[in-house]
Amino acid sequence: METYEETRIDDDDFSKYLLEGQNCEVLSWNDKVIGVDLPLNVELEVTMTDPGVKGNTASGGDKPATVETGATVIVPLFIQIGEKIVVDTTSGKYVRKVKK
């Protein structure tokens, strides 16, 4: 059944990649959400990360970044605050930078 109802959900593994107004499939039972099918990849804006210093690759060239949903994603050093990235919702891993 297809509806366009708004539903409140609790924080769960899937909610860290869910944006307000995003379309997704919801599985519910007894009026309680028990599962959400997200798209395979989502575009999210980086809201917090340390600046990447050129030549600082001793730790593998990656750093943690917080995205607009509050999730933390490991990204390459060249990613900066305000940039959009593509994240795989099944693994939570960085896929690529969104081209402007």
Side-chain angles (χ1 to χ4, degrees):
M1 176 171 82
E2 188 171 324
T3 68
Y4 293 94
E5 296 176 21
E6 289 186 16
T7 303
R8 301 268 183 230
I9 58 171
D10 297 326
D11 282 343
D12 206 341
D13 287 340
F14 55 79
S15 66
K16 60 186 168 184
Y17 305 114
L18 188 60
L19 293 170
E20 185 175 337
Q22 182 177 1
N23 291 328
C24 59
E25 292 188 24
V26 177
L27 179 61
S28 61
W29 185 68
N30 287 341
D31 295 327
K32 181 168 174 56
V33 175
I34 60 172
V36 176
D37 284 337
L38 292 173
L40 183 58
N41 295 316
V42 291
E43 289 184 11
L44 299 170
E45 183 177 339
V46 175
T47 57
M48 180 64 188
T49 189
D50 294 329
V53 179
K54 189 173 184 176
N56 184 13
T57 57
S59 64
D62 295 329
K63 62 183 180 178
T66 303
V67 293
E68 60 190 297
T69 60
T72 301
V73 180
I74 302 300
V75 298
L77 290 174
F78 60 83
I79 299 296
Q80 301 298 321
I81 293 173
E83 294 182 321
K84 288 204 170 216
I85 60 172
V86 175
V87 178
D88 182 326
T89 58
T90 57
S91 67
K93 294 187 180 201
Y94 167 87
V95 176
R96 63 180 165 80
K97 179 179 172 180
V98 175
K99 296 181 180 179
K100 294 180 182 179

